[in-house]
Amino acid sequence: MAVRPGLWPAILGIVLAAWLRGSGAQQSATVASPAPGASPDLLPHFLVEPEDVYIVKNKPVLLVCKAVPATQIFFKCNGEWVRQVDHVTERSTDGSSAGLPTMEVRINVSRQQVEKVFGLEEYWCQCVAWSSSGTTKSQKAYIRIAYLRKNFEQEPLAKEVSLEQGIVLPCRPPEGIPPAEVEWLRNEDLVDPSLDPNVYITREHSLVVRQARLADTANYTCVAKNIVARRRSASAAVVVYVNGGWSTWTEWSVCSASCGRGWQKRSRSCTNPAPLNGGAFCEGQNVQKTACATLCPVDGSWSSWSKWSACGLDCTHWRSRECSDPAPRNGGEECRGADLDTRNCTSDLCLHTASGPEDVALYIGLVAVAVCLILLLLVLILIYCRKKEGLDSDVADSSILTSGFQPVSIKPNKADNPHLLTIQPDLSTTTTTYQGSLCPRQDGSSPKFQLSNGHLLSPLGGGRHTLHHSSPTSEAEEFVSRLSTQNYFRTLPRGTSNMAYGTFNFLGGRLMIPNTGISLLIPPDAIPRGKIYEIYLTLHKPEDVRLPLAGCQTLLSPIVSCGPPGVLLTRPVILAMDHCGEPRPDSWSLYLKKQSCEGSWEDVLHLGEESPCHLYYCQLEAGACYVFTEQLGRFALVGEALSVAATKRLKLLLFAPVACTSLEYSIRVYCLHDTHDALKEVVQLEKQLGGQLIQEPRVLHFKDSYHNLRLSIHDVPSSLWKSKLLVSYQEIPFYHIWNGTQQYLHCTFTLERVNPSTSDLACKVWVWQVEGDGQSFSINCNITKDTRFAELLALESEGGVPALVGPSAFKIPFLIRQKIITSLDPPCSRGADWRTLAQKLHLDSHLSFFASKPSPTAMILNLWEARHFPNGNLGQLAAAVAGLGQPDAGLFTVSEAEC
């Protein structure tokens, strides 16, 4: 076959290259340049170029190259020529009139060839085609080994979400070449976002459900696949639950008592909606009870007959009666029978003579004379009045005007019992205080009650008080007078024993009313930096503040004011005060009430139904409550009884005179709310009366059963003493105790010694609620020198510092407090953060409230300060912090000396 002269140089080059390859020598590709004057149309151009391919498992891949016009085609892979023997070549013509030569070349690339350079650079191959006019290179084809690893980088996790909440299920497929495609299965059915607009798949392969539906409760699986394999993630169970919701309240039922006091109730059900798939049951009561009263019908009853009238001319006389003993009311029946009774007169009273014309004339004459006398009397009176008006106004002490009148000296009668307390009413306020005597329940088996021995004591308001503060008393009076100029503070007491005040800045501090259990903690940074506030804390007497209570509500705490209202606080302050309730959720519904500037009271917090974003929050304990608030004002804790099992704690105290100088000896039994402020007031009162405690105080649980409280004295030795009480017991009405308008009530038992030398007294005093709890006191003392119970009230007489400003107001040193906050506020994967601290301090029921604040740890430490000042054990707190397992927990271990 004849070869064209222009092809010889190319052929020689190819033969040389093949020889070099066969000898194993390393060579570089040399591309012949187009001959001078050659036409560019005769350069090879590729009809088929090699493309990127993946090697699956161990199967080699085929690369194809086809060019026209082409005399030779060779592959070059990663810069090296492929041996000629590895090429499969097919020659042909393009079928055109020119008959240009066409060449197609194939080679196989194995996994071993690619793995030789794997990791250094990507493996590529390229075609080089020759023609008489020169050479042309094809595009590079990259050969990669395909794989798909088994383990997902991130698998979806099980979730429990509420209805209509969004769901995000992340999925990061295993590493692979080519990258894996992801699809989702719901209970083994393909999730197609084009058919369900409520779901979509993100670029990161996460499955998103915009609003969870009940039908979205299923097992979800993430599937990754490429040309090598198909991988399935672990299934994630998604449960869409529905929290229960209350239905509307039913109407109130009919009163249980057709007559008198009873109960009525209403109910609701947790069906709007009903809880599903483990959703929370409705919180709160499904039944509410309230007291009701139906007026009892009273049937009318006749009064006694009147006296018989004089005998009439018809020989009859009459008598009458009225239906007024009692009169019928509230639908009661009218009296039956006649209201007028007539009968014939006796024979000696009856006048049988008939009146004639002479009698009529006599009657007319008598009437005329009477009229004339009346007119004459009127004329004389008129003349006398005119003469009196003309008397000289300077005339005084006329014997005519003063004759028959003697001056009278009016003096109050002294009480028979010198130990009874006489209290003058306070006319400076508009509030009224009950100062009457106890009215006992009428009992057929007991004699009538003698009112001189049982009295209700009203609180004293005339004592002189001083505020134990570093400032003089005049400064306190000036502060109170300055507050009283504002309209809202005109009801503040003028004394300072029930008030504390101080000046505070961002360092915070504490206000306390000594011996009352009432304090106000102002944490650091609660007052904005650059601000200085003058803050007060005041305890009010219940009878001085009008607190409206409805239904079965009762006051459980003192009424406390902190202010002034309206100041800007950046952190909640903590108001601590005692309460006398037994807070059981099935018997009480507790509310925090706050008085507005207009004077009206409103419920600002329903305990147990707080939300973290609420302005108020309350930590309720057995005998005290701690109120978080960012708004100062007047507060009180009120309870609404849900059943007769609701109880209030009453403290019972027995006092008697320190010295007995007469034959009479009085034992006073106090029934007061079990709070420190009520106890303080009784102690102050008894100091003024010269009394001493003769028995250890007891606690009585007073039930909301509408039964009165009874007090009685027993086993008095009749040979030595005699009781001046004429009844078997004294009684305090239920409403006097339950309404809470008076902090304490008391009854007096007066005994009289038979012999002035008697000094030993042994008896028993019983206090009990009818059909309820009771307490018994055994008294065995010497009335002249027995002071063994005086130490029980020693703490009540101790004073305190009402105002503490800055670091001295806190048990935890400021620097250590900041270290604890910095360490425990950030969340820790090992659980050694503020949540664990709250659990150790038994405050884990308030996690949602703490989490809503910028510094949860600061809230926990503030509550600890409010609960444990000044007698808190700082070592126990340090041990709790150190036990969290923090790397630098040693920084928090402090001793009392270091504080």
Side-chain angles (χ1 to χ4, degrees):
M1 179 180 66
V3 180
R4 287 184 294 179
L7 295 178
W8 283 111
I11 294 173
L12 290 176
I14 293 172
V15 172
L16 180 62
W19 178 80
L20 290 174
R21 285 195 302 273
S23 64
Q26 182 74 22
Q27 58 176 318
S28 60
T30 301
V31 180
S33 300
S39 172
D41 294 338
L42 297 178
L43 288 174
H45 67 274
F46 290 94
L47 301 178
V48 177
E49 295 185 77
E51 296 181 351
D52 296 344
V53 289
Y54 294 95
I55 297 176
V56 178
K57 297 182 179 180
N58 294 320
K59 297 179 181 179
V61 293
L62 178 67
L63 298 181
V64 180
C65 229
K66 187 176 183 180
V68 63
T71 57
Q72 289 294 336
I73 299 178
F74 287 94
F75 274 94
K76 181 188 286 187
C77 294
N78 275 37
E80 296 184 1
W81 294 101
V82 179
R83 295 184 305 173
Q84 186 177 10
V85 295
D86 295 332
H87 291 72
V88 177
T89 305
E90 292 183 4
R91 300 177 183 275
S92 62
T93 60
D94 62 351
S96 63
S97 58
L100 297 175
T102 302
M103 181 176 288
E104 180 178 342
V105 178
R106 300 182 182 88
I107 65 171
N108 288 321
V109 179
S110 66
R111 184 186 185 100
Q112 290 77 10
Q113 292 176 265
V114 176
E115 285 179 343
K116 287 181 181 180
V117 295
F118 185 77
L120 300 177
E121 55 180 311
E122 290 187 306
Y123 192 91
W124 57 270
C125 291
Q126 185 182 37
C127 288
V128 181
W130 278 269
S131 70
S132 59
S133 300
T135 61
T136 304
K137 295 180 180 180
S138 71
Q139 66 181 8
K140 289 182 179 181
Y142 291 90
I143 299 93
R144 300 178 177 90
I145 299 175
Y147 67 93
L148 182 63
R149 302 195 184 279
K150 293 183 178 181
N151 297 326
F152 280 73
E153 295 184 9
Q154 184 179 11
E155 292 186 290
L157 300 177
K159 289 181 178 290
E160 292 184 0
V161 297
S162 62
L163 193 67
E164 297 184 354
Q165 182 181 345
I167 305 174
V168 178
L169 296 176
C171 176
R172 292 173 61 187
E175 179 186 354
I177 294 178
E181 298 178 356
V182 173
E183 62 185 15
W184 285 87
L185 301 179
R186 180 196 289 131
N187 289 341
E188 302 302 325
D189 295 330
L190 182 65
V191 177
D192 190 352
S194 63
L195 301 179
D196 188 357
N198 194 42
V199 299
Y200 67 92
I201 301 175
T202 66
R203 293 181 178 179
E204 294 79 17
H205 311 298
S206 297
L207 179 66
V208 178
V209 181
R210 292 183 172 90
Q211 289 184 332
R213 304 157 297 190
L214 291 177
D216 294 320
T217 299
N219 292 322
Y220 289 84
T221 308
C222 179
V223 179
K225 61 181 181 178
N226 64 2
I227 59 177
V228 178
R230 174 187 175 95
R231 312 289 187 199
R232 291 168 57 97
S233 70
S235 295
V238 174
V239 177
V240 180
Y241 62 86
V242 179
N243 289 327
W246 288 115
S247 63
T248 57
W249 288 102
T250 61
E251 296 294 331
W252 287 103
S253 64
V254 180
C255 192
S256 60
S258 59
C259 172
R261 197 177 190 284
W263 294 91
Q264 58 181 164
K265 65 179 182 179
R266 62 177 182 175
S267 61
R268 58 181 177 177
S269 59
C270 190
T271 57
N272 187 28
L276 292 175
N277 296 336
F281 197 79
C282 305
E283 296 183 359
Q285 299 293 327
N286 63 339
V287 177
Q288 279 187 348
K289 290 185 177 181
T290 185
C292 58
T294 305
L295 296 177
C296 297
V298 178
D299 295 337
S301 181
W302 292 113
S303 63
S304 300
W305 287 101
S306 65
K307 294 183 179 181
W308 289 101
S309 65
C311 193
L313 297 178
D314 56 352
C315 287
T316 61
H317 58 176
W318 55 270
R319 62 178 180 174
S320 64
R321 59 181 179 177
E322 295 180 352
C323 189
S324 60
D325 188 24
R329 61 180 181 272
N330 304 331
E333 295 183 359
E334 293 285 343
C335 301
R336 296 182 180 180
D339 58 351
L340 186 65
D341 183 20
T342 61
R343 69 178 182 181
N344 292 331
C345 302
T346 57
S347 58
D348 55 342
L349 297 178
C350 182
L351 300 177
H352 296 281
T353 58
S355 59
E358 296 83 4
D359 295 333
V360 174
L362 177 61
Y363 293 150
I364 294 175
L366 292 175
V367 171
V369 172
V371 171
C372 292
L373 291 175
I374 292 173
L375 292 176
L376 179 60
L377 181 60
L378 291 175
V379 171
L380 292 176
I381 293 174
L382 181 61
I383 294 173
Y384 173 77
C385 291
R386 289 183 178 180
K387 287 183 178 181
K388 185 178 180 181
E389 291 176 359
L391 291 176
D392 188 1
S393 60
D394 295 333
V395 177
D397 198 17
S398 171
S399 61
I400 299 175
L401 298 177
T402 59
S403 61
F405 292 90
Q406 299 295 330
V408 178
S409 176
I410 302 176
K411 296 182 179 179
N413 294 326
K414 294 184 179 180
D416 295 336
N417 192 344
H419 299 284
L420 294 181
L421 180 64
T422 302
I423 301 175
Q424 297 297 329
D426 183 8
L427 302 179
S428 61
T429 61
T430 59
T431 59
T432 60
T433 304
Y434 178 80
Q435 294 182 341
S437 302
L438 285 174
C439 180
R441 176 175 294 183
Q442 298 299 327
D443 193 343
S445 62
S446 302
K448 293 187 177 179
F449 186 83
Q450 183 176 351
L451 297 180
S452 61
N453 276 326
H455 291 275
L456 295 179
L457 283 182
S458 299
L460 285 175
R464 300 178 62 87
H465 308 285
T466 59
L467 176 65
H468 298 284
H469 191 267
S470 57
S471 302
T473 307
S474 59
E475 182 181 349
E477 294 174 351
E478 179 185 357
F479 175 74
V480 175
S481 62
R482 182 165 65 254
L483 291 179
S484 63
T485 57
Q486 306 178 29
N487 292 333
Y488 184 67
F489 307 114
R490 288 180 181 173
T491 58
L492 290 179
R494 294 298 183 264
T496 55
S497 65
N498 288 335
M499 182 177 182
Y501 75 97
T503 302
F504 301 90
N505 59 10
F506 73 95
L507 293 177
R510 187 188 305 264
L511 287 176
M512 296 178 293
I513 302 178
N515 302 325
T516 62
I518 298 171
S519 65
L520 181 68
L521 179 72
I522 307 167
D525 291 325
I527 297 176
R529 292 179 180 260
K531 299 285 186 181
I532 298 177
Y533 293 155
E534 197 170 34
I535 297 178
Y536 66 84
L537 181 66
T538 305
L539 168 64
H540 299 274
K541 295 182 179 179
E543 62 268 23
D544 293 337
V545 178
R546 179 174 176 80
L547 176 61
L549 299 175
C552 301
Q553 290 184 342
T554 181
L555 181 65
L556 298 179
S557 75
I559 301 175
V560 181
S561 291
C562 55
V567 298
L568 175 63
L569 298 175
T570 57
R571 298 284 189 277
V573 299
I574 302 179
L575 175 64
M577 53 186 178
D578 292 349
H579 69 84
C580 62
E582 289 293 326
R584 294 175 51 190
D586 56 340
S587 57
W588 282 107
S589 184
L590 301 177
Y591 299 88
L592 179 68
K593 285 184 176 288
K594 182 175 183 291
Q595 189 177 27
S596 65
C597 294
E598 293 78 17
S600 61
W601 288 85
E602 57 182 354
D603 297 336
V604 296
L605 181 63
H606 186 184
L607 272 66
E609 298 184 4
E610 305 96 335
S611 60
C613 59
H614 205 276
L615 292 175
Y616 308 93
Y617 202 83
C618 183
Q619 158 75 4
L620 187 69
E621 297 184 355
C625 61
Y626 301 90
V627 179
F628 291 80
T629 175
E630 297 183 22
Q631 295 184 357
L632 304 183
R634 183 172 295 172
F635 297 93
L637 183 67
V638 171
E640 181 177 2
L642 300 179
S643 67
V644 294
T647 60
K648 293 172 65 172
R649 294 190 317 277
L650 299 183
K651 179 159 286 189
L652 307 178
L653 302 173
L654 270 63
F655 281 89
V658 175
C660 182
T661 58
S662 64
L663 295 178
E664 290 185 349
Y665 188 74
S666 299
I667 299 176
R668 293 181 288 275
V669 183
Y670 289 87
C671 306
L672 57 139
H673 288 172
D674 187 15
T675 57
H676 285 83
D677 62 296
L679 181 60
K680 173 186 175 182
E681 193 161 358
V682 169
V683 172
Q684 292 177 346
L685 173 63
E686 280 296 325
K687 285 183 178 179
Q688 297 176 7
L689 295 177
Q692 66 171 341
L693 188 69
I694 62 172
Q695 272 294 315
E696 186 175 356
R698 303 282 180 86
V699 173
L700 183 142
H701 292 85
F702 190 77
K703 296 172 59 177
D704 181 25
S705 60
Y706 305 98
H707 291 292
N708 298 341
L709 189 69
R710 290 182 178 177
L711 303 93
S712 61
I713 189 167
H714 303 271
D715 301 337
V716 179
S718 58
S719 60
L720 302 176
W721 299 86
K722 64 178 181 179
S723 174
K724 300 186 68 174
L725 191 66
L726 300 180
V727 294
S728 61
Y729 61 83
Q730 299 186 58
E731 196 167 58
I732 300 178
F734 169 84
Y735 287 105
H736 288 183
I737 298 175
W738 197 258
N739 286 353
T741 55
Q742 292 177 325
Q743 286 184 295
Y744 61 86
L745 305 165
H746 98 281
C747 289
T748 301
F749 296 98
T750 302
L751 304 177
E752 185 176 358
R753 289 184 286 181
V754 176
N755 191 324
S757 62
T758 300
S759 60
D760 294 326
L761 173 63
C763 62
K764 288 186 178 180
V765 174
W766 290 353
V767 183
W768 78 100
Q769 186 182 16
V770 181
E771 299 181 11
D773 192 12
Q775 290 287 359
S776 174
F777 295 87
S778 295
I779 300 174
N780 193 349
C781 65
N782 188 306
I783 65 173
T784 59
K785 58 182 179 181
D786 196 338
T787 59
R788 53 184 162 163
F789 297 101
E791 68 276 4
L792 295 177
L793 299 179
L795 295 177
E796 301 303 325
S797 61
E798 295 177 359
V801 180
L804 294 173
V805 180
S808 63
F810 305 97
K811 289 282 292 183
I812 308 173
F814 183 80
L815 294 179
I816 295 180
R817 169 190 169 94
Q818 295 304 111
K819 290 181 180 180
I820 296 176
I821 293 174
T822 304
S823 179
L824 299 186
D825 267 350
C828 180
S829 60
R830 294 179 290 107
D833 56 13
W834 62 269
R835 294 174 177 84
T836 308
L837 178 62
Q839 294 175 358
K840 287 180 173 291
L841 299 179
H842 307 290
L843 300 175
D844 44 334
S845 60
H846 306 301
L847 292 181
S848 58
F849 170 72
F850 296 145
S852 66
K853 301 304 178 184
S855 175
T857 310
M859 292 295 102
I860 296 174
L861 298 181
N862 293 342
L863 182 55
W864 187 92
E865 290 278 5
R867 297 170 65 193
H868 296 89
F869 189 89
N871 301 319
N873 190 336
L874 193 58
Q876 291 182 356
L877 177 63
V881 175
L884 298 181
Q886 289 279 353
D888 54 346
L891 296 174
F892 309 138
T893 305
V894 296
S895 64
E896 294 285 350
E898 293 173 334
C899 297

